[in-house]
Structure formats: C-alpha cells, structure tokens
Amino acid sequence: MTPRPKLVSTGVAAAELGIDRVTLARWWRAGVVEPEFVTAGGHARWDMEKLRQSLRERARREED
C-alpha cells in the first residue's frame, strides 16, 4: 500500500514556497495551481511535492 501524502494548509504551503498565502490563493483562483483536496468548508489542502512539480512545469512552459 502506497503511503498517503501529507497535505498542508494554504498558509503552510505558501510559507514553504516563500510566498504569501494570499498569492497562493490567488494562483488557485486563477487556475495556475490546483490543491490536492478542498475541505467541505472550502479550505485547500496541498501536497507539497505535487505543488512544487506543478510550478516547475509551468515555469518550463513559460520559458519555451
């Protein structure tokens, strides 16, 4: 059985990326990134590995 990834809040994810949580929330609303899960209350939960990968892929596409 594959271990489930640890999901973190928008504030924690933003801090790990070195950005403001408002920036990450804005990227989510704009469709730049997608959270792994959204709670019933509308709070995003992020898989940091997937989030970083998504941002790396987006940066590569913008370079081309």
Side-chain angles (χ1 to χ4, degrees):
M1 182 175 193
T2 304
R4 290 177 34 184
K6 178 182 175 194
L7 302 180
V8 298
S9 69
T10 299
V12 171
E16 288 194 29
L17 294 173
I19 61 173
D20 192 274
R21 75 167 191 79
V22 175
T23 300
L24 183 54
R26 185 175 54 240
W27 289 351
W28 174 26
R29 285 191 309 274
V32 174
V33 294
E34 287 293 322
E36 185 71 16
F37 178 76
V38 180
T39 69
H43 300 277
R45 296 296 179 254
W46 303 90
D47 176 328
M48 288 307 300
E49 185 175 321
K50 287 184 179 180
L51 178 56
R52 285 188 179 104
Q53 181 63 32
S54 175
L55 292 171
R56 281 191 298 268
E57 288 171 3
R58 184 172 182 84
R60 278 190 220 116
R61 285 193 306 267
E62 289 178 357
E63 287 176 355
D64 294 337

Short mmCIF file of all heavy atoms in Angstrom, two decimals:
data_model
loop_
_atom_site.label_atom_id
_atom_site.label_comp_id
_atom_site.label_asym_id
_atom_site.label_seq_id
_atom_site.Cartn_x
_atom_site.Cartn_y
_atom_site.Cartn_z
N MET A 1 0.84 -1.18 0.00
CA MET A 1 0.00 0.00 0.00
C MET A 1 0.89 1.25 0.00
O MET A 1 1.81 1.38 0.79
CB MET A 1 -0.89 -0.04 1.24
CG MET A 1 -1.84 1.08 1.35
SD MET A 1 -2.90 0.79 2.79
CE MET A 1 -4.13 1.96 2.49
N THR A 2 0.59 2.18 -0.90
CA THR A 2 1.35 3.41 -1.01
C THR A 2 0.94 4.38 0.09
O THR A 2 -0.25 4.59 0.31
CB THR A 2 1.09 4.08 -2.38
OG1 THR A 2 1.39 3.14 -3.41
CG2 THR A 2 1.92 5.32 -2.55
N PRO A 3 1.92 4.96 0.81
CA PRO A 3 1.56 5.91 1.86
C PRO A 3 0.89 7.14 1.27
O PRO A 3 1.25 7.61 0.19
CB PRO A 3 2.88 6.26 2.52
CG PRO A 3 3.94 5.79 1.62
CD PRO A 3 3.35 4.78 0.68
N ARG A 4 -0.09 7.68 1.98
CA ARG A 4 -0.77 8.89 1.53
C ARG A 4 0.13 10.09 1.77
O ARG A 4 0.83 10.15 2.78
CB ARG A 4 -2.08 9.05 2.28
CG ARG A 4 -3.09 8.01 1.88
CD ARG A 4 -4.37 8.09 2.64
NE ARG A 4 -4.76 9.43 3.01
CZ ARG A 4 -5.82 9.71 3.74
NH1 ARG A 4 -6.58 8.74 4.19
NH2 ARG A 4 -6.12 10.95 4.05
N PRO A 5 0.11 11.05 0.84
CA PRO A 5 0.94 12.24 1.04
C PRO A 5 0.41 13.08 2.19
O PRO A 5 -0.80 13.07 2.49
CB PRO A 5 0.79 12.99 -0.29
CG PRO A 5 -0.51 12.53 -0.84
CD PRO A 5 -0.67 11.11 -0.37
N LYS A 6 1.30 13.78 2.84
CA LYS A 6 0.89 14.72 3.89
C LYS A 6 0.35 15.96 3.20
O LYS A 6 1.01 16.54 2.34
CB LYS A 6 2.09 15.09 4.76
CG LYS A 6 1.74 16.09 5.82
CD LYS A 6 2.95 16.49 6.64
CE LYS A 6 2.55 17.59 7.60
NZ LYS A 6 3.70 18.25 8.17
N LEU A 7 -0.85 16.34 3.56
CA LEU A 7 -1.47 17.52 2.98
C LEU A 7 -1.35 18.67 3.97
O LEU A 7 -1.54 18.48 5.17
CB LEU A 7 -2.94 17.25 2.65
CG LEU A 7 -3.19 16.09 1.69
CD1 LEU A 7 -4.68 15.92 1.44
CD2 LEU A 7 -2.45 16.28 0.38
N VAL A 8 -1.03 19.85 3.46
CA VAL A 8 -0.84 21.02 4.31
C VAL A 8 -1.80 22.13 3.90
O VAL A 8 -2.29 22.17 2.77
CB VAL A 8 0.62 21.52 4.27
CG1 VAL A 8 1.58 20.46 4.78
CG2 VAL A 8 1.02 21.97 2.87
N SER A 9 -2.03 23.06 4.80
CA SER A 9 -2.90 24.19 4.55
C SER A 9 -2.24 25.17 3.58
O SER A 9 -1.04 25.11 3.30
CB SER A 9 -3.22 24.91 5.86
OG SER A 9 -2.04 25.54 6.34
N THR A 10 -3.03 26.11 3.09
CA THR A 10 -2.52 27.13 2.18
C THR A 10 -1.42 27.95 2.85
O THR A 10 -0.40 28.25 2.22
CB THR A 10 -3.66 28.04 1.71
OG1 THR A 10 -4.62 27.23 1.01
CG2 THR A 10 -3.16 29.14 0.78
N GLY A 11 -1.59 28.29 4.12
CA GLY A 11 -0.58 29.07 4.82
C GLY A 11 0.75 28.35 4.94
O GLY A 11 1.81 28.93 4.71
N VAL A 12 0.68 27.06 5.28
CA VAL A 12 1.90 26.26 5.40
C VAL A 12 2.55 26.08 4.04
O VAL A 12 3.77 26.23 3.89
CB VAL A 12 1.59 24.89 6.05
CG1 VAL A 12 2.79 23.97 5.99
CG2 VAL A 12 1.13 25.09 7.49
N ALA A 13 1.75 25.78 3.02
CA ALA A 13 2.30 25.60 1.66
C ALA A 13 2.98 26.88 1.18
O ALA A 13 4.09 26.84 0.63
CB ALA A 13 1.19 25.19 0.70
N ALA A 14 2.33 28.00 1.39
CA ALA A 14 2.90 29.28 0.96
C ALA A 14 4.21 29.56 1.69
O ALA A 14 5.19 29.98 1.06
CB ALA A 14 1.90 30.40 1.20
N ALA A 15 4.23 29.31 2.98
CA ALA A 15 5.46 29.53 3.76
C ALA A 15 6.59 28.67 3.24
O ALA A 15 7.73 29.13 3.13
CB ALA A 15 5.20 29.26 5.24
N GLU A 16 6.29 27.42 2.90
CA GLU A 16 7.34 26.53 2.39
C GLU A 16 7.85 26.99 1.03
O GLU A 16 8.99 26.73 0.68
CB GLU A 16 6.82 25.09 2.31
CG GLU A 16 6.68 24.47 3.68
CD GLU A 16 6.49 22.96 3.64
OE1 GLU A 16 6.98 22.31 2.70
OE2 GLU A 16 5.85 22.45 4.57
N LEU A 17 6.99 27.66 0.26
CA LEU A 17 7.40 28.19 -1.05
C LEU A 17 8.05 29.57 -0.94
O LEU A 17 8.59 30.09 -1.91
CB LEU A 17 6.19 28.29 -1.98
CG LEU A 17 5.55 26.98 -2.41
CD1 LEU A 17 4.27 27.25 -3.19
CD2 LEU A 17 6.52 26.13 -3.23
N GLY A 18 7.92 30.20 0.23
CA GLY A 18 8.50 31.52 0.42
C GLY A 18 7.64 32.63 -0.18
O GLY A 18 8.17 33.67 -0.58
N ILE A 19 6.32 32.39 -0.25
CA ILE A 19 5.40 33.39 -0.78
C ILE A 19 4.31 33.65 0.26
O ILE A 19 4.17 32.91 1.22
CB ILE A 19 4.77 32.94 -2.11
CG1 ILE A 19 3.97 31.64 -1.93
CG2 ILE A 19 5.84 32.79 -3.19
CD1 ILE A 19 3.18 31.21 -3.15
N ASP A 20 3.53 34.68 0.03
CA ASP A 20 2.41 34.98 0.92
C ASP A 20 1.25 34.02 0.61
O ASP A 20 1.06 33.64 -0.54
CB ASP A 20 1.97 36.43 0.69
CG ASP A 20 1.03 36.91 1.76
OD1 ASP A 20 -0.19 36.68 1.61
OD2 ASP A 20 1.50 37.49 2.75
N ARG A 21 0.47 33.68 1.63
CA ARG A 21 -0.65 32.77 1.41
C ARG A 21 -1.69 33.36 0.48
O ARG A 21 -2.35 32.64 -0.27
CB ARG A 21 -1.27 32.32 2.73
CG ARG A 21 -2.09 33.33 3.38
CD ARG A 21 -2.95 32.79 4.52
NE ARG A 21 -3.88 33.84 4.86
CZ ARG A 21 -4.98 34.10 4.18
NH1 ARG A 21 -5.32 33.36 3.16
NH2 ARG A 21 -5.75 35.09 4.52
N VAL A 22 -1.80 34.69 0.45
CA VAL A 22 -2.73 35.35 -0.46
C VAL A 22 -2.31 35.11 -1.91
O VAL A 22 -3.15 34.94 -2.79
CB VAL A 22 -2.83 36.87 -0.14
CG1 VAL A 22 -3.69 37.60 -1.15
CG2 VAL A 22 -3.37 37.07 1.27
N THR A 23 -1.02 35.09 -2.16
CA THR A 23 -0.51 34.82 -3.51
C THR A 23 -0.90 33.42 -3.94
O THR A 23 -1.39 33.23 -5.06
CB THR A 23 1.02 35.00 -3.56
OG1 THR A 23 1.34 36.34 -3.19
CG2 THR A 23 1.57 34.68 -4.94
N LEU A 24 -0.69 32.43 -3.07
CA LEU A 24 -1.05 31.06 -3.42
C LEU A 24 -2.55 30.93 -3.65
O LEU A 24 -2.98 30.28 -4.61
CB LEU A 24 -0.57 30.08 -2.34
CG LEU A 24 -0.82 28.60 -2.62
CD1 LEU A 24 -0.25 28.16 -3.96
CD2 LEU A 24 -0.25 27.75 -1.49
N ALA A 25 -3.34 31.56 -2.83
CA ALA A 25 -4.80 31.52 -3.00
C ALA A 25 -5.19 32.18 -4.33
O ALA A 25 -6.08 31.70 -5.04
CB ALA A 25 -5.48 32.22 -1.83
N ARG A 26 -4.52 33.27 -4.69
CA ARG A 26 -4.79 33.95 -5.96
C ARG A 26 -4.44 33.04 -7.14
O ARG A 26 -5.19 32.95 -8.12
CB ARG A 26 -4.04 35.27 -6.02
CG ARG A 26 -4.37 36.10 -7.25
CD ARG A 26 -3.70 37.48 -7.25
NE ARG A 26 -2.26 37.38 -7.08
CZ ARG A 26 -1.59 37.93 -6.06
NH1 ARG A 26 -2.21 38.59 -5.12
NH2 ARG A 26 -0.28 37.81 -6.00
N TRP A 27 -3.29 32.36 -7.05
CA TRP A 27 -2.90 31.42 -8.11
C TRP A 27 -3.95 30.31 -8.26
O TRP A 27 -4.25 29.90 -9.37
CB TRP A 27 -1.54 30.81 -7.80
CG TRP A 27 -0.38 31.74 -7.93
CD1 TRP A 27 -0.38 33.02 -8.45
CD2 TRP A 27 0.96 31.48 -7.53
NE1 TRP A 27 0.89 33.55 -8.38
CE2 TRP A 27 1.73 32.63 -7.83
CE3 TRP A 27 1.59 30.39 -6.96
CZ2 TRP A 27 3.09 32.71 -7.58
CZ3 TRP A 27 2.95 30.46 -6.69
CH2 TRP A 27 3.69 31.61 -7.01
N TRP A 28 -4.47 29.84 -7.14
CA TRP A 28 -5.51 28.80 -7.16
C TRP A 28 -6.76 29.33 -7.88
O TRP A 28 -7.29 28.69 -8.78
CB TRP A 28 -5.81 28.35 -5.73
CG TRP A 28 -6.94 27.40 -5.57
CD1 TRP A 28 -7.42 26.50 -6.49
CD2 TRP A 28 -7.73 27.21 -4.41
NE1 TRP A 28 -8.46 25.78 -5.97
CE2 TRP A 28 -8.68 26.21 -4.69
CE3 TRP A 28 -7.75 27.81 -3.16
CZ2 TRP A 28 -9.61 25.78 -3.76
CZ3 TRP A 28 -8.68 27.37 -2.22
CH2 TRP A 28 -9.59 26.37 -2.53
N ARG A 29 -7.21 30.51 -7.49
CA ARG A 29 -8.41 31.10 -8.12
C ARG A 29 -8.20 31.32 -9.61
O ARG A 29 -9.13 31.20 -10.41
CB ARG A 29 -8.79 32.42 -7.45
CG ARG A 29 -9.44 32.25 -6.11
CD ARG A 29 -10.05 33.56 -5.61
NE ARG A 29 -9.13 34.69 -5.64
CZ ARG A 29 -8.27 35.00 -4.68
NH1 ARG A 29 -8.20 34.26 -3.59
NH2 ARG A 29 -7.48 36.05 -4.79
N ALA A 30 -6.98 31.65 -10.02
CA ALA A 30 -6.67 31.91 -11.43
C ALA A 30 -6.44 30.63 -12.22
O ALA A 30 -6.26 30.68 -13.44
CB ALA A 30 -5.43 32.80 -11.52
N GLY A 31 -6.41 29.48 -11.53
CA GLY A 31 -6.19 28.21 -12.22
C GLY A 31 -4.74 27.89 -12.49
O GLY A 31 -4.43 26.97 -13.24
N VAL A 32 -3.84 28.63 -11.86
CA VAL A 32 -2.41 28.39 -12.04
C VAL A 32 -2.01 27.08 -11.35
O VAL A 32 -1.21 26.31 -11.89
CB VAL A 32 -1.58 29.56 -11.49
CG1 VAL A 32 -0.09 29.27 -11.52
CG2 VAL A 32 -1.90 30.84 -12.26
N VAL A 33 -2.57 26.83 -10.17
CA VAL A 33 -2.31 25.60 -9.41
C VAL A 33 -3.63 25.06 -8.88
O VAL A 33 -4.61 25.80 -8.76
CB VAL A 33 -1.33 25.85 -8.23
CG1 VAL A 33 0.06 26.21 -8.73
CG2 VAL A 33 -1.86 26.93 -7.30
N GLU A 34 -3.64 23.78 -8.58
CA GLU A 34 -4.83 23.14 -8.03
C GLU A 34 -4.45 22.40 -6.75
O GLU A 34 -3.47 21.65 -6.74
CB GLU A 34 -5.42 22.13 -9.01
CG GLU A 34 -6.12 22.76 -10.19
CD GLU A 34 -7.38 23.49 -9.79
OE1 GLU A 34 -8.12 23.01 -8.90
OE2 GLU A 34 -7.64 24.56 -10.39
N PRO A 35 -5.22 22.57 -5.69
CA PRO A 35 -4.93 21.83 -4.46
C PRO A 35 -5.25 20.35 -4.63
O PRO A 35 -6.02 19.96 -5.51
CB PRO A 35 -5.85 22.48 -3.42
CG PRO A 35 -6.97 23.05 -4.22
CD PRO A 35 -6.38 23.44 -5.55
N GLU A 36 -4.65 19.55 -3.81
CA GLU A 36 -4.91 18.10 -3.80
C GLU A 36 -6.33 17.81 -3.32
O GLU A 36 -6.98 16.89 -3.79
CB GLU A 36 -3.89 17.41 -2.90
CG GLU A 36 -3.96 15.91 -2.89
CD GLU A 36 -3.48 15.28 -4.19
OE1 GLU A 36 -2.81 15.95 -5.00
OE2 GLU A 36 -3.79 14.09 -4.41
N PHE A 37 -6.80 18.63 -2.39
CA PHE A 37 -8.10 18.39 -1.76
C PHE A 37 -8.67 19.72 -1.29
O PHE A 37 -7.92 20.61 -0.92
CB PHE A 37 -7.88 17.45 -0.56
CG PHE A 37 -9.11 17.13 0.22
CD1 PHE A 37 -10.05 16.23 -0.27
CD2 PHE A 37 -9.35 17.72 1.45
CE1 PHE A 37 -11.19 15.93 0.46
CE2 PHE A 37 -10.48 17.43 2.19
CZ PHE A 37 -11.41 16.52 1.69
N VAL A 38 -9.98 19.83 -1.34
CA VAL A 38 -10.66 21.01 -0.79
C VAL A 38 -11.65 20.51 0.24
O VAL A 38 -12.47 19.63 -0.05
CB VAL A 38 -11.37 21.83 -1.89
CG1 VAL A 38 -12.07 23.03 -1.28
CG2 VAL A 38 -10.38 22.27 -2.96
N THR A 39 -11.58 21.05 1.45
CA THR A 39 -12.47 20.61 2.52
C THR A 39 -13.89 21.07 2.24
O THR A 39 -14.14 21.91 1.38
CB THR A 39 -12.03 21.19 3.88
OG1 THR A 39 -12.25 22.62 3.87
CG2 THR A 39 -10.57 20.88 4.19
N ALA A 40 -14.82 20.53 2.99
CA ALA A 40 -16.23 20.91 2.86
C ALA A 40 -16.41 22.41 3.11
O ALA A 40 -17.31 23.04 2.56
CB ALA A 40 -17.09 20.11 3.82
N GLY A 41 -15.53 22.99 3.91
CA GLY A 41 -15.59 24.41 4.20
C GLY A 41 -14.89 25.28 3.17
O GLY A 41 -14.82 26.49 3.30
N GLY A 42 -14.32 24.66 2.13
CA GLY A 42 -13.68 25.39 1.05
C GLY A 42 -12.21 25.69 1.26
O GLY A 42 -11.63 26.52 0.56
N HIS A 43 -11.58 25.01 2.22
CA HIS A 43 -10.16 25.24 2.50
C HIS A 43 -9.31 24.26 1.70
O HIS A 43 -9.56 23.06 1.71
CB HIS A 43 -9.87 25.08 4.00
CG HIS A 43 -10.65 26.05 4.83
ND1 HIS A 43 -10.23 27.34 5.03
CD2 HIS A 43 -11.82 25.91 5.49
CE1 HIS A 43 -11.12 27.96 5.78
NE2 HIS A 43 -12.11 27.12 6.07
N ALA A 44 -8.29 24.79 1.04
CA ALA A 44 -7.41 23.96 0.22
C ALA A 44 -6.41 23.21 1.09
O ALA A 44 -5.94 23.72 2.10
CB ALA A 44 -6.66 24.83 -0.78
N ARG A 45 -6.08 22.00 0.66
CA ARG A 45 -5.02 21.20 1.26
C ARG A 45 -4.09 20.82 0.13
O ARG A 45 -4.52 20.34 -0.92
CB ARG A 45 -5.57 19.95 1.95
CG ARG A 45 -6.49 20.27 3.13
CD ARG A 45 -5.71 20.99 4.24
NE ARG A 45 -6.55 21.33 5.38
CZ ARG A 45 -6.97 22.54 5.66
NH1 ARG A 45 -6.67 23.55 4.87
NH2 ARG A 45 -7.71 22.77 6.72
N TRP A 46 -2.82 21.06 0.36
CA TRP A 46 -1.81 20.94 -0.69
C TRP A 46 -0.84 19.80 -0.42
O TRP A 46 -0.37 19.63 0.69
CB TRP A 46 -1.02 22.24 -0.79
CG TRP A 46 -1.89 23.43 -1.04
CD1 TRP A 46 -2.48 24.23 -0.10
CD2 TRP A 46 -2.29 23.95 -2.30
NE1 TRP A 46 -3.20 25.22 -0.71
CE2 TRP A 46 -3.11 25.07 -2.06
CE3 TRP A 46 -2.03 23.58 -3.62
CZ2 TRP A 46 -3.67 25.83 -3.08
CZ3 TRP A 46 -2.59 24.34 -4.63
CH2 TRP A 46 -3.39 25.44 -4.37
N ASP A 47 -0.50 19.05 -1.46
CA ASP A 47 0.58 18.07 -1.46
C ASP A 47 1.79 18.85 -1.97
O ASP A 47 1.83 19.25 -3.14
CB ASP A 47 0.23 16.91 -2.39
CG ASP A 47 1.34 15.89 -2.54
OD1 ASP A 47 2.53 16.27 -2.47
OD2 ASP A 47 1.02 14.72 -2.75
N MET A 48 2.75 19.11 -1.10
CA MET A 48 3.87 19.97 -1.47
C MET A 48 4.67 19.44 -2.65
O MET A 48 5.11 20.21 -3.50
CB MET A 48 4.79 20.19 -0.26
CG MET A 48 4.21 21.10 0.80
SD MET A 48 3.64 22.70 0.18
CE MET A 48 5.14 23.39 -0.52
N GLU A 49 4.85 18.14 -2.73
CA GLU A 49 5.61 17.58 -3.86
C GLU A 49 4.90 17.88 -5.18
O GLU A 49 5.52 18.33 -6.14
CB GLU A 49 5.78 16.07 -3.67
CG GLU A 49 6.65 15.43 -4.72
CD GLU A 49 6.89 13.96 -4.44
OE1 GLU A 49 7.06 13.59 -3.27
OE2 GLU A 49 6.89 13.19 -5.41
N LYS A 50 3.59 17.67 -5.21
CA LYS A 50 2.83 17.93 -6.44
C LYS A 50 2.77 19.42 -6.75
O LYS A 50 2.83 19.82 -7.91
CB LYS A 50 1.42 17.35 -6.33
CG LYS A 50 1.39 15.85 -6.42
CD LYS A 50 -0.04 15.35 -6.41
CE LYS A 50 -0.07 13.83 -6.53
NZ LYS A 50 -1.48 13.35 -6.52
N LEU A 51 2.64 20.24 -5.72
CA LEU A 51 2.59 21.68 -5.93
C LEU A 51 3.91 22.18 -6.52
O LEU A 51 3.91 22.93 -7.50
CB LEU A 51 2.29 22.39 -4.60
CG LEU A 51 2.24 23.91 -4.64
CD1 LEU A 51 1.24 24.43 -5.66
CD2 LEU A 51 1.92 24.45 -3.24
N ARG A 52 5.01 21.76 -5.96
CA ARG A 52 6.32 22.18 -6.49
C ARG A 52 6.50 21.70 -7.93
O ARG A 52 7.01 22.43 -8.78
CB ARG A 52 7.44 21.65 -5.60
CG ARG A 52 7.58 22.41 -4.31
CD ARG A 52 8.83 21.98 -3.54
NE ARG A 52 8.96 22.72 -2.33
CZ ARG A 52 8.69 22.23 -1.11
NH1 ARG A 52 8.29 20.98 -0.96
NH2 ARG A 52 8.83 22.98 -0.04
N GLN A 53 6.11 20.46 -8.21
CA GLN A 53 6.22 19.91 -9.56
C GLN A 53 5.38 20.73 -10.54
O GLN A 53 5.82 21.06 -11.63
CB GLN A 53 5.80 18.44 -9.59
CG GLN A 53 5.92 17.80 -10.96
CD GLN A 53 7.32 17.76 -11.49
OE1 GLN A 53 8.29 17.64 -10.74
NE2 GLN A 53 7.47 17.85 -12.80
N SER A 54 4.18 21.07 -10.15
CA SER A 54 3.29 21.86 -10.99
C SER A 54 3.91 23.22 -11.30
O SER A 54 3.87 23.68 -12.45
CB SER A 54 1.94 22.04 -10.28
OG SER A 54 1.10 22.87 -11.02
N LEU A 55 4.49 23.85 -10.31
CA LEU A 55 5.12 25.15 -10.52
C LEU A 55 6.36 25.03 -11.40
O LEU A 55 6.61 25.91 -12.25
CB LEU A 55 5.46 25.80 -9.18
CG LEU A 55 4.25 26.24 -8.36
CD1 LEU A 55 4.68 26.66 -6.96
CD2 LEU A 55 3.47 27.34 -9.06
N ARG A 56 7.14 23.95 -11.24
CA ARG A 56 8.32 23.74 -12.10
C ARG A 56 7.89 23.55 -13.56
O ARG A 56 8.48 24.13 -14.47
CB ARG A 56 9.12 22.52 -11.64
CG ARG A 56 10.01 22.77 -10.45
CD ARG A 56 10.97 21.63 -10.21
NE ARG A 56 10.30 20.38 -9.90
CZ ARG A 56 10.01 19.95 -8.67
NH1 ARG A 56 10.34 20.68 -7.61
NH2 ARG A 56 9.41 18.80 -8.49
N GLU A 57 6.84 22.74 -13.78
CA GLU A 57 6.36 22.50 -15.14
C GLU A 57 5.85 23.79 -15.77
O GLU A 57 6.09 24.06 -16.93
CB GLU A 57 5.26 21.44 -15.12
CG GLU A 57 5.78 20.05 -14.85
CD GLU A 57 4.67 19.02 -14.62
OE1 GLU A 57 3.47 19.38 -14.73
OE2 GLU A 57 5.01 17.87 -14.33
N ARG A 58 5.14 24.58 -14.99
CA ARG A 58 4.62 25.85 -15.51
C ARG A 58 5.77 26.78 -15.89
O ARG A 58 5.74 27.44 -16.92
CB ARG A 58 3.71 26.51 -14.48
CG ARG A 58 3.07 27.75 -15.00
CD ARG A 58 2.03 28.27 -14.04
NE ARG A 58 1.39 29.44 -14.55
CZ ARG A 58 0.37 29.46 -15.39
NH1 ARG A 58 -0.15 28.33 -15.80
NH2 ARG A 58 -0.15 30.58 -15.81
N ALA A 59 6.81 26.83 -15.06
CA ALA A 59 7.96 27.69 -15.35
C ALA A 59 8.65 27.24 -16.63
O ALA A 59 9.05 28.06 -17.46
CB ALA A 59 8.94 27.67 -14.18
N ARG A 60 8.76 25.91 -16.83
CA ARG A 60 9.38 25.39 -18.06
C ARG A 60 8.57 25.78 -19.29
O ARG A 60 9.12 26.17 -20.32
CB ARG A 60 9.52 23.87 -17.99
CG ARG A 60 10.72 23.42 -17.24
CD ARG A 60 10.95 21.92 -17.41
NE ARG A 60 11.37 21.41 -16.12
CZ ARG A 60 10.72 20.56 -15.37
NH1 ARG A 60 9.60 20.03 -15.77
NH2 ARG A 60 11.20 20.19 -14.20
N ARG A 61 7.23 25.66 -19.19
CA ARG A 61 6.38 26.02 -20.32
C ARG A 61 6.51 27.51 -20.65
O ARG A 61 6.48 27.88 -21.82
CB ARG A 61 4.91 25.69 -20.02
CG ARG A 61 4.59 24.22 -20.09
CD ARG A 61 3.10 23.96 -20.10
NE ARG A 61 2.39 24.58 -18.98
CZ ARG A 61 2.13 24.00 -17.83
NH1 ARG A 61 2.53 22.77 -17.60
NH2 ARG A 61 1.46 24.63 -16.88
N GLU A 62 6.62 28.34 -19.63
CA GLU A 62 6.74 29.78 -19.86
C GLU A 62 8.09 30.15 -20.47
O GLU A 62 8.20 31.17 -21.15
CB GLU A 62 6.51 30.54 -18.57
CG GLU A 62 5.06 30.49 -18.13
CD GLU A 62 4.79 31.20 -16.82
OE1 GLU A 62 5.76 31.69 -16.19
OE2 GLU A 62 3.63 31.25 -16.42
N GLU A 63 9.12 29.33 -20.24
CA GLU A 63 10.44 29.59 -20.79
C GLU A 63 10.47 29.30 -22.29
O GLU A 63 11.25 29.89 -23.01
CB GLU A 63 11.50 28.75 -20.09
CG GLU A 63 11.83 29.20 -18.69
CD GLU A 63 12.81 28.27 -18.01
OE1 GLU A 63 13.17 27.23 -18.57
OE2 GLU A 63 13.21 28.59 -16.88
N ASP A 64 9.66 28.37 -22.73
CA ASP A 64 9.65 27.97 -24.16
C ASP A 64 8.99 28.98 -25.05
O ASP A 64 8.37 29.87 -24.75
CB ASP A 64 8.94 26.63 -24.33
CG ASP A 64 9.72 25.49 -23.67
OD1 ASP A 64 10.93 25.65 -23.48
OD2 ASP A 64 9.10 24.48 -23.37
#
